Amino acid sequence: HDPPLPAAVAPPDGTQAVALRRALAHSLPDRVARLASLCDSPAELQLLRDLSTDLKPALVRRAYLAAEQGRGQLLWLRPGSRLAAARPRPPYISFFEIQHAKRPYMERASAADPRWLPDASPSLTRLSAPLAELPPLYDAAEDCTLCWCSPTYGAAGW
């Protein structure tokens, strides 16, 4: 016999909401997308040009490109979702799946913070060689020297 459900559950507060969004990003690290307008690598810019030839510019501005799952296609938020109505649009999104309808839509999407991504999936994160312009640091507690690196994420290389 199942226990009775509470009559009403309060929505999460701000701290809980961030923790839930972070948990989603960590549980689905290969299902992260960012606004197509943030594309800066030559490969992404070429992909964006190739995929958007028959689309109106306003539609392309609302599109996202995925780091891994769903790569090679433009993705959108469902028009009736809260995230689609948010202004400004979240630059990074975690999502559960891609539903193909009129367009490929990210289902059950949530805003993500790009600073979470390296911890979410070390296997999808690549670190540059140590940066020469930033001096190394000595960590006395660990008795080691630390250097600064620049991370990129996923096959898209964000």
Side-chain angles (χ1 to χ4, degrees), residues 36 47-48 51-52 55 59-60 63-66 70-76 98 103-105:
L47 177 63
L48 187 57
L51 295 174
S52 63
L55 299 173
L59 189 59
V60 175
Y64 286 80
L65 287 171
R71 253 183 78 226
Q73 62 184 329
L74 292 174
L75 305 171
W76 284 269
I98 298 168
R103 291 180 193 77
Y105 291 110

Side-chain angles (χ1 to χ4, degrees), residues 130-148:
L131 300 175
E133 58 271 10
L134 295 171
L137 300 171
Y138 176 69
D139 182 344
E142 295 292 325
D143 191 31
C144 66
T145 303
L146 305 173
C147 67
W148 298 93

